[in-house]
Every structure is written in C-alpha cells, then in structure tokens.
Amino acid sequence: MRIKLRHFILGLLLMLFGGSAAIGQSIMRKNPYLIYPGKDSTMTVLWQLKQTALSRIEWGTDTTYSLGNGQTTEYGNDHQHKFTLTKLQPSAKYYYRVIVNRDTAKGSFRAAPGPNATQIKFFAYGDTRTYPAEHDKVAKKILSIYRDDPDFQTMIIASGDYTSNGEYESDWDGQFFNPSYKNIQALLATLPYQGCIGNHEGSGVLYKKYFPYPYVSRRYWSFDYGPAHFTVIDQYTSYSTG
C-alpha cells in the first residue's frame, strides 16, 4: 500500500511540475539571449529548453512587463524558441521575461538608435573559446561599464571563435551558454550579440543554429545600427564569380 501511495504522489508531482523534468531542475538548456535583426524597431529573444514545452514571453518599459506578451512553440528539432519584439521606440529601454512552467528568466535591452542619431557606442571582442572563466571576467567588466553609463547598453560585435570546437554541442553548452558563468549569461540577456563565424566554428552548422541572423548568403549579412552600417563577411566562403 505504501509503495502504491508513493507512486501516486510521484506521478502527481510530475504532472504538476512539468512532465519529465526533474523536480527542482530548470527546464532551460540555454537561457534567453539576444540578436538584433537590423531594424531599430525590433529585437529577437532566443532560448532553448531541455524538452518540449510552451513558453510565454512578456515585455514592457519597466518590470511590470505590461506592454505586450506572446506564446511560442519550439522550432527546429532541438527545443529552440525565439520571439521578435516589434514596434520598439529607438533607444528606449525594455525589460522582458520568459516563463516556462515554473521557470522565469529575465533580461533587458535598449532598442537601436534611429538613423538620425549623431553617435553610437558599442563593445567589440572575440576569441572567447576554451577559457570561459576568462570570458566571464570580460563579461563582468562590460556589465559594470554599461551599468555606470546606460548609453553603453547597446550591442556586442563578436569576431568569432566562440568555443574550442563549434562542431560539438557540448562546447556550446559548456563554454558559451553555461549557466554557471553568471556574467556571460547576464551579458547575453542584455546586449544583442552580433557576430561573424571564426575558424573554430568549423562548418558553421551549430553556429547558424544558435545565431540565425538574416543571412544573405552562407554566413554573410549586414545591418544598420543608428547612422552606421555594419557588414559581416564570412572569410571562409569563396566570393569569386564564375
């Protein structure tokens, strides 16, 4: 009788707290991160789960998140989610949160400045592979800079080589999106990561999986940010004609 009762209670708890996810364990595999699609009125939030589940995103100009909300279902075949916020006001700050079952992940960003802006600020760095603890220190410094100067909460231009071997999911999980490195995760949740492919990304299959920029061809693309135009060129692709 006791065994049957235990099984009943366990089954009830699984129903209440999210199917096959272990009780007390986050369903998030990759916490929310940002990419800027190239229009000053938009921003894309992406995240990945450990299993199939509906997600809800809410956003606003403060932490009441009262401006809008939406629900997402996964795309692809690996429990990925994304949502593009639209009708944003240039340079305005927005707050968002992603809710999945009992998990909530929060972030913020500033919309891109309009084309009439007279100056822009941004961060640029790269080669974060192999040593995530060092990357976490860099992320901590960037966070402190934009917290002291809110005009620096803009974007990151990344020069590639995100992980030791970009062909391995384990490297993306362990080095770049590892939740143990709190500063990196806070950085990704508050600054859009605008990058190019490096040689350590290999074929680029996983790179394009996690950074689905609006590519023109291969890994080539460009975008406007305020009065500036940025062009991202894939140096590992031949652009010769004929």
Side-chain angles (χ1 to χ4, degrees):
M1 182 65 182
R2 289 181 179 177
I3 294 176
K4 291 182 178 180
L5 181 59
R6 288 174 183 171
H7 287 173
F8 173 77
I9 293 173
L10 178 59
L12 182 60
L13 289 172
L14 288 173
M15 290 174 62
L16 289 174
F17 295 110
S20 61
I23 297 171
Q25 182 181 8
S26 173
I27 195 173
M28 290 281 186
R29 178 175 172 184
K30 292 179 177 63
N31 288 321
Y33 60 103
L34 303 169
I35 63 174
Y36 168 58
K39 295 182 179 179
D40 58 22
S41 60
T42 63
M43 188 69 73
T44 299
V45 185
L46 306 95
W47 62 98
Q48 185 182 30
L49 306 180
K50 297 175 182 176
Q51 64 187 54
T52 299
L54 293 176
S55 296
R56 178 179 176 84
I57 183 169
E58 302 173 346
W59 66 93
T61 53
D62 55 37
T63 53
T64 62
Y65 309 102
S66 57
L67 192 60
N69 62 80
Q71 190 174 70
T72 67
T73 56
E74 62 186 43
Y75 69 93
N77 57 7
D78 201 14
H79 312 304
Q80 290 179 271
H81 291 249
K82 65 179 176 180
F83 191 92
T84 298
L85 281 62
T86 60
K87 299 181 180 179
L88 306 176
Q89 296 301 309
S91 298
K93 183 165 183 174
Y94 293 88
Y95 300 82
Y96 69 90
R97 62 183 175 187
V98 173
I99 304 169
V100 189
N101 295 344
R102 296 172 63 87
D103 285 357
T104 299
K106 301 176 182 179
S108 68
F109 62 87
R110 285 190 180 275
N116 295 325
T118 57
Q119 65 176 3
I120 60 172
K121 298 178 178 181
F122 60 90
F123 298 96
Y125 71 95
D127 210 5
T128 59
R129 63 180 178 85
T130 312
Y131 303 105
E134 297 304 310
H135 183 197
D136 200 59
K137 294 176 183 177
V138 173
K140 182 178 181 180
K141 181 62 177 178
I142 292 174
L143 292 170
S144 70
I145 290 173
Y146 89 65
R147 286 166 181 165
D148 289 339
D149 180 359
D151 287 341
F152 257 117
Q153 190 178 2
T154 52
M155 65 174 175
I156 291 170
I157 301 296
S159 61
D161 290 351
Y162 301 77
T163 70
S164 299
N165 191 328
E167 303 281 18
Y168 296 158
E169 290 278 10
S170 58
D171 275 17
W172 288 100
D173 285 339
Q175 295 181 19
F176 197 80
F177 291 106
N178 190 332
S180 298
Y181 297 106
K182 302 297 184 182
N183 295 310
I184 298 174
Q185 302 314 302
L187 190 74
L188 294 174
T190 55
L191 290 169
Y193 219 79
Q194 308 295 99
C196 66
I197 192 170
N199 64 300
H200 281 263
E201 276 66 75
S203 67
V205 171
L206 295 183
Y207 170 73
K208 291 183 71 173
K209 173 182 175 180
Y210 293 119
F211 292 96
Y213 300 117
Y215 299 102
V216 175
S217 177
R218 300 292 181 95
R219 283 71 56 107
Y220 161 84
W221 66 295
S222 66
F223 62 94
D224 293 322
Y225 192 87
H229 184 73
F230 293 80
T231 300
V232 182
I233 297 176
D234 176 6
Q235 66 172 319
Y236 303 104
T237 294
S238 173
Y239 293 96
S240 60
T241 59

